[in-house]
Each structure stands twice: as C-alpha cells, then as structure tokens.
Amino acid sequence: MPLETILANIKRVFVGSPIASHRERHERLSIPIALAVFASDALSSTAYATEEILISFGATLYTIFGNFLAMPVALAIGLLMAIVVISYRQVIRAYPSGGGSYEVAKEQLGATASQMAAAALMIDYVLTVSVSISAAVAAITSAYVATTHQEVAVNSKVMIAVWLIAFMTVINLRGVRESGKVLAFPAYLFIGGMASILLFGGLQLLEEGKLTLFSPSALQDQVHHLLHFHSNAIHPPHDALSVLLQVGAATSNLALVLALLNAFAHGCAALTGIEAISNGVKAFKEPADVNANRTMVLMGLILAVIFMGMTALAFGFGVTPSASETVVSQLAKHVFGAPSLGYYALQFLTMVILVLAANTSFAGFPRLSNILAQDGYLPRQMLNRGDRLVFSNGILMLGVTSALLVMVFQADTHALIPMYAIGVFLSFTLAQAGMVRHHLAHPHQGYLGGLITNLIGAVVTALVTVLLTVEKFSEGGWIVIVAIPVIIMTFRTIKRHYKSIRNQLALPEKGYCPVPVENRVLVLVSSLNRGTIPALEYAKSISKNVEAVHVELYGPATERLKHAWDEWGCGIPLTILKSPFRSLSLPLLDYIDEVSQEVKAAEGGGFVTIVIAEFVTRRFWHSLLHNQTSFLLKTLLRLRRGKVVTTVRYFLDE
C-alpha cells in the first residue's frame, strides 16, 4: 500500500472523514454546546483562583487571616467580573463578526494597539492550555497523594500533561461541533459537581454551627483580631461604627494594603477566558451575536456563584493551601470525606473541566490566527480550513506551543499563573478603551449606558493591568512583557514580507503579451536506463535545442554511457564534464551558469530548463536504499535565478 494511502487512512481514523464546505453553517454551535466550548476556561479557573488568593496571603504576615481576607478580595473580583462581562456584551453587539479585542483595537485605536491586543490574546490562549492542563494534572495527583500519601514525580506530571494536550489537539481537529458534543456532558457534570459541594458544604456548615462565621458579630471578631495583630494597643470595638473606623485605620497600613493587592492580583486568574466568546462569535448559530451574548451572561453568573461560593467554603472550613494537595481537594474531603465516591467524583470532574478549559483556546486561537492571517500578520497557512472545516494549522500550532511551555515549566501551575493574567487584562483594557471611542464616534439612542460601562471597564482593567504587571513582574510576568514586543515585531516582519511580495508581483501598468523565446534544455544523465528515456523524450517535446550533460565520477561508468549513447541517445548531443575532485554539483552548477550566460547574451534572451530523471520506488522505505541525487540537485538549483527545473519521474514496480 502506498505511503500516502497509509497516512490518509491513519488521518481518517483520528480526524474523521472530510466535511463539504457547504456544511459549514451546520457545524455552528447552539448555546448549550457553546457554553461548554467557550466557557470552560472561565469556569475552570474556579479550581485554582481561590487557592491563588490563599497562597498569596501565605507569603505575607497575614497567613493566619488568609481565609477571612479572601472574602473581601473575592467580592472585589466578583464586581470586576460583572463589569468585564457587561463590557464584552457591548463588544459583541458592536463587532458581531468576531475578533474581540483585536477587531475593536484595530478599528478604533490603530495598528499598534491592535497588534498589542493580538499578541496578548495569543499569549493568553497558549497559557490557558498550559495552565489548565497543568492544573488538571495537579487534580489527578492530589487524589493520588490523598489516597496513597506518596508524592508524584515531576517527569510523570509532565508526561501526563503532554498526553492530555495531544488528546485535546486530536479532538479539536475532528471539528468544532463534534468536539463540543464530546465535551459538553462533562462540562455540565462539573457545574453539577460544584453545585453539589456548595450545597452540601453549606448544609454541613449550618449543622456544625459554622455559618455564624459569616454573621456580623463573627466578622467583627475577625476584624478585631486583625487589628490586634497590627497593634496590641488596639482594644476590642464595642459598636459597628468603631469597627468601621478601625477597619479604615487598618487598611491604611501599607503592609495590609499590599497584601490585599497581591491577593487581588493572583485571584484575577478567575477572569481569564471571559473574552473567548467575543472572539468566536461566528461559531454560534444565527442570530450569532444574540446567542453569544446570552452565553456570556450564563457564563458570568455561573462563574461568579462558583468562585465566591468556593471562597466562602474555604473560609468556613478554615482550609489553607498545600504544596501537595489542592484547595478543591481539601474542600471535597471536608464535605464528602475521603476516600469516598463523592470525593473522587469531584476530583475527576475538576480534572475534566481543567482539560476542557484548554478547549476554549482550541476554539479561539485558530479563529484569531485566521483573522490575523487575513490582515497579513501571520502566515497564510492559517487561512486554510482542514478536512473537518476547522483551522487545522492553528490548532496544531497551539498544541505544539503549549506542550513546549508545559515541558519548560515542568507542568507547575503556580509557576505558569504569574504570566497568565497580564495579557488577559491588557486585552480587556484595549477592548474597553476601543469601545469608549466607538460610542463617542457612533452615538445612538441609549448609547450613554454603554459608554459609561465601557469607560468604567477601561479604567478598572487598566489599573488591574498595572497592578498585575508590578505584582507579578519578578515572578515570571516579565516574560510576558518581553514576549509581547517580540510577537509584535514578528507580526510586522511578516506583514512587510507580504507587502514586498505583493509589490514585486504586481502587474505592470501597461499591457503585456508574452513572446516566444529560446528554451535551451539540459538533461542531467548519470546513466542510460529506462528511466532516462522519458526524460529525453520530454526534453525534445519542449525544445529543439536539447543537450545531455553527464558528470564523470567513475571512468568505466562514463565509458559505458558513451557506448550506449549512439544507439539510445535519440540524436541528442552528450556533454561530459570532468570532476577531478569527485564532486557532482560543483562542475554541473558551473556549466549551467555558463550556459545561462550564453542564453542571456543571445538576442532576445530565453530560458534554461534543466530536466532531471528520477525513479520512484513502490514502497517508501525503498527510497532509503538509494542516493538522493535528484533531491540534492533540485535543492541547489532552486537557489539559482533564471533556471527552470523539471523532474520527469519513472515509477518502478516491486
């Protein structure tokens, strides 16, 4: 069986049969499927956002107050989440063709801002896959550690992560709708699992009397302890007003403010993925913009409830972060017990949603790459749809890049997250700033509400971007700061290349009709056999000026060729080139250049065509048993101007 047939059959097994182009509209997503495809990234952040807040407090003097302080931080992040969701609904309405932050910035803020948004989004998508898969591996290994009390080797974590990325790559190569159907069910199971832990956890806290932790008096006690931590001179407050006054005094303390800001910066990982819906509006069923906006609202509500609910449970149960076990795992042990079916089910669903989070990037990154390729910022291969009507090259590029990142950072979620949110909030800021300008340039009835929303969104996300950059710079955020300009320079280099090509290939202003010119044909002959005859016949069919050229590497072989040429040479003159140093290419290329100069010097000029005879073996591994002379010559001749290279193949049977 030929190699191409074998490869085609393997591709069909993994990717599936091709889908006709006219079926593209049938591959679009309904709201339930789209929620699983585009919201998994945002929903998955609930598996580690609370933990990141607690870890940030663990690095300060406020470790013992981490659970208490996490609550106001979570509420602030929830408010920011609402602002961003409402703002992106404005983006979808104004730019229903998709592209999100990039399209808004391109139209409203100019090329540099749009390139910055695109670079930030691309980094975000790659990090989404790397962080989500690494967190999924952490969920798996946490269950293993909780059961066996044995650590998991780093190399094993990396290997699992790479295999999961490969799995997601193959699933997405099969098509958007098919991947959505496969992944929708486990996504909704995760939402159900999180609803269960919030419900049963809340009931357990109620039974144990721990819900009083959320009462005003309990919160007052927590505030008192916090103030007492600052100064032993502070006495317990006696009324609500004094509590508020002392809280104000405490928050003025620089150390506490910095601790809260640091926790806020880490917890903003909960917002990653919100923009994905605005980038993939075209993937929705019609009316695409309406369905995308409804999905955005559903995602925001579910995300806010789970995130703030998990933070409240962590406060209620007094959970603290551990190097070997996630906060979600600890909460599941509190609520369901371990080992238990409920515990393992939630850990499994957490792992699944974290794997599915990568699917959000696999849905968004190829579409963004396609838009950038249309504008000339990425290679044109990103424009091509694969057999399953997906942008296969973009999917493969994302899979390979994220796998490399996982290997470099050893599948360590906490090492990857500092790089994560900076690009996300930069794209948020550019999108909201662009929408402010859009509203001002296109005022319409009721536009003021959208203008105010986007203005607030732009200011808040800009402040968060600055905060994230400062807080996470030394932890790895500097990599993003360096990477964005590098990516922008790459965009511009590609754009210049395509512009140069377009200018050089543009038709002349005046009409032109080709005229016949001389075509001098050189047939490269190593020996005379059945594979050589078709090459000679082809040469005579395209020109009357044909010459056979042979490089003498072995005297007896050259003599045999001379004796056979009189009978089989078809009357074509044979030129023998000497090669005292046994080089095939040097004398041959020198002679071709000499002939080319003669043709150029002749009146009217012309072409030099080099015909190479090549035999093709039946089985691909047979080619390994033969010299690759024709391949070498074609490669060398490709670099020389003014030469036409033609290969005449002779196919061999077994």
Side-chain angles (χ1 to χ4, degrees):
M1 185 181 293
L3 175 61
E4 59 269 20
T5 304
I6 297 173
L7 294 176
N9 290 338
I10 293 174
K11 183 179 179 181
R12 294 292 169 266
V13 170
F14 286 100
V15 178
S17 301
I19 300 175
S21 298
H22 70 273
R23 298 285 303 172
E24 190 270 338
R25 64 187 183 91
H26 299 289
E27 294 297 303
R28 295 192 174 190
L29 306 175
S30 61
I31 291 178
I33 300 294
L35 184 64
V37 171
F38 286 105
S40 295
D41 177 19
L43 295 177
S44 72
S45 63
T46 59
Y48 51 78
T50 297
E51 183 168 358
E52 287 300 311
I53 294 174
L54 296 177
I55 289 174
S56 69
F57 282 122
T60 69
L61 296 174
Y62 298 92
T63 304
I64 59 176
F65 298 105
N67 297 88
F68 171 66
L69 293 174
M71 289 301 300
V73 171
L75 290 172
I77 292 172
L79 178 60
L80 177 60
M81 193 181 296
I83 293 172
V84 172
V85 167
I86 295 170
S87 298
Y88 268 98
R89 282 172 55 83
Q90 301 287 332
V91 172
I92 292 171
R93 290 195 189 100
Y95 296 89
S97 60
S101 303
Y102 171 71
E103 287 292 341
V104 176
K106 181 177 71 172
E107 183 172 321
Q108 301 299 332
L109 304 177
T112 300
S114 67
Q115 292 161 16
M116 191 180 300
L121 284 171
M122 292 183 72
I123 292 172
D124 173 37
Y125 281 133
V126 173
L127 283 168
T128 293
V129 177
S130 303
V131 170
S132 300
I133 295 296
S134 298
V137 173
I140 298 170
T141 54
S142 289
Y144 179 81
V145 170
T147 306
T148 65
H149 304 290
Q150 296 179 4
E151 294 294 331
V152 179
V154 173
N155 289 341
S156 299
K157 293 180 181 180
V158 173
M159 183 181 68
I160 296 170
V162 171
W163 276 109
L164 287 174
I165 291 173
F167 169 75
M168 294 303 300
T169 301
V170 171
I171 286 292
N172 280 274
L173 287 173
R174 295 186 65 88
V176 174
R177 191 174 66 156
E178 184 164 337
S179 66
K181 287 181 177 179
V182 170
L183 304 175
F185 182 65
Y188 286 106
L189 281 180
F190 170 79
I191 295 173
M194 283 300 187
S196 298
I197 194 173
L198 293 178
L199 175 61
F200 290 115
L203 291 174
Q204 187 173 329
L205 290 175
L206 178 62
E207 291 176 1
E208 297 175 1
K210 291 184 178 179
L211 281 183
T212 56
L213 288 171
F214 300 95
S215 66
S217 60
L219 295 176
Q220 178 175 306
D221 289 340
Q222 289 282 348
V223 172
H224 165 64
H225 290 309
L226 178 61
L227 296 177
H228 183 73
F229 177 75
H230 273 268
S231 174
N232 292 328
I234 297 179
H235 299 288
H238 299 288
D239 53 58
L241 179 60
S242 61
V243 169
L244 293 176
L245 291 173
Q246 292 194 46
V247 168
T251 54
S252 66
N253 184 286
L254 181 60
L256 178 59
V257 171
L258 291 177
L260 290 170
L261 289 176
N262 184 50
F264 181 81
H266 281 77
C268 280
L271 278 74
T272 54
I274 287 180
E275 78 290 344
I277 292 175
S278 67
N279 292 328
V281 177
K282 284 187 175 181
F284 287 79
K285 286 185 175 180
E286 295 295 343
D289 56 334
V290 174
N291 289 330
N293 263 324
R294 289 174 179 172
T295 307
M296 178 73 78
V297 172
L298 282 173
M299 178 190 67
L301 290 173
I302 296 170
L303 175 60
V305 170
I306 295 176
F307 168 61
M308 288 190 283
M310 294 297 284
T311 307
L313 285 186
F315 173 45
F317 287 113
V319 170
T320 56
S322 168
S324 59
E325 189 176 3
T326 64
V327 167
V328 173
S329 174
Q330 295 180 63
L331 287 174
K333 286 166 67 175
H334 277 286
V335 175
F336 301 119
S340 68
L341 179 61
Y343 170 78
Y344 287 118
L346 187 66
Q347 283 301 97
F348 175 75
L349 291 174
T350 302
M351 181 272 291
V352 169
I353 196 63
L354 287 165
V355 174
L356 297 189
N359 196 61
T360 299
S361 288
F362 280 106
F365 183 92
R367 293 179 181 278
L368 176 62
S369 299
N370 174 263
I371 294 171
L372 290 170
Q374 290 178 34
D375 292 343
Y377 291 123
L378 283 181
R380 289 173 180 167
Q381 291 89 328
M382 297 299 171
L383 295 171
N384 302 333
R385 288 183 182 268
D387 290 349
R388 304 289 293 181
L389 293 178
V390 292
F391 301 110
S392 303
N393 291 326
I395 291 172
L396 291 170
M397 179 180 175
L398 175 61
V400 171
T401 307
S402 56
L404 290 173
L405 202 61
V406 162
M407 288 187 282
V408 169
F409 286 90
Q410 299 287 284
D412 185 349
T413 307
H414 304 307
L416 288 163
I417 281 182
M419 299 183 288
Y420 194 14
I422 296 175
V424 177
F425 276 88
L426 177 58
S427 65
F428 286 171
T429 302
L430 292 170
Q432 307 318 311
M435 286 303 300
V436 169
R437 187 166 183 177
H438 170 81
H439 288 305
L440 293 174
H442 305 90
H444 54 84
Q445 186 176 3
Y447 84 100
L448 192 58
L451 173 63
I452 294 172
T453 300
N454 290 127
L455 182 59
I456 294 173
V459 173
V460 174
T461 54
L463 291 174
V464 175
T465 302
V466 174
L467 172 63
L468 288 169
T469 303
V470 173
E471 288 288 340
K472 298 189 175 186
F473 186 86
S474 61
E475 299 176 22
W478 65 270
I479 298 176
V480 176
I481 305 303
V482 172
I484 288 177
V486 171
I487 294 174
I488 291 174
M489 285 190 292
T490 303
F491 287 160
R492 293 180 176 180
T493 301
I494 294 172
K495 181 84 168 179
R496 281 197 301 269
H497 169 74
Y498 283 132
K499 183 178 180 180
S500 173
I501 292 292
R502 186 168 56 251
N503 292 338
Q504 292 181 63
L505 296 180
L507 291 171
E509 295 181 1
K510 296 182 179 180
Y512 170 76
C513 293
V515 295
V517 294
E518 179 187 359
N519 183 12
R520 187 166 175 182
V521 181
L522 305 179
V523 183
L524 308 186
V525 179
S526 59
S527 62
L528 195 55
N529 52 53
R530 288 194 178 189
T532 311
I533 301 301
L536 296 173
E537 292 174 342
Y538 174 76
K540 293 190 72 172
S541 72
I542 61 173
S543 175
K544 295 179 180 179
N545 193 350
V546 179
E547 175 186 353
V549 181
H550 171 78
V551 179
E552 183 177 356
L553 299 177
Y554 181 60
T558 302
E559 290 301 320
R560 287 195 296 270
L561 175 63
K562 289 179 179 178
H563 289 309
W565 195 258
D566 292 337
E567 181 178 356
W568 297 97
C570 306
I572 297 174
L574 174 64
T575 299
I576 307 293
L577 302 177
K578 299 293 183 178
S579 182
F581 298 103
R582 299 163 305 285
S583 170
L584 173 67
S585 58
L586 291 179
L588 184 59
L589 295 176
D590 288 342
Y591 184 72
I592 291 173
D593 288 339
E594 181 183 327
V595 172
S596 180
Q597 292 298 325
E598 292 177 5
V599 171
K600 285 182 180 179
E603 185 177 353
F607 295 101
V608 175
T609 299
I610 297 95
V611 177
I612 301 174
E614 179 181 30
F615 64 84
V616 182
T617 55
R618 183 174 177 82
R619 300 185 186 279
F620 76 93
W621 61 268
H622 289 171
S623 62
L624 302 177
L625 305 176
H626 302 276
N627 294 328
Q628 303 298 317
T629 306
S630 61
F631 176 77
L632 172 64
L633 291 174
K634 284 186 289 186
T635 302
L636 293 173
L637 290 168
R638 184 177 181 272
L639 303 176
R640 278 173 150 68
R641 293 174 179 264
K643 316 295 189 300
V644 179
V645 182
T646 301
T647 303
V648 178
R649 296 180 177 86
Y650 185 82
F651 290 85
L652 300 172
D653 293 325
E654 181 61 41

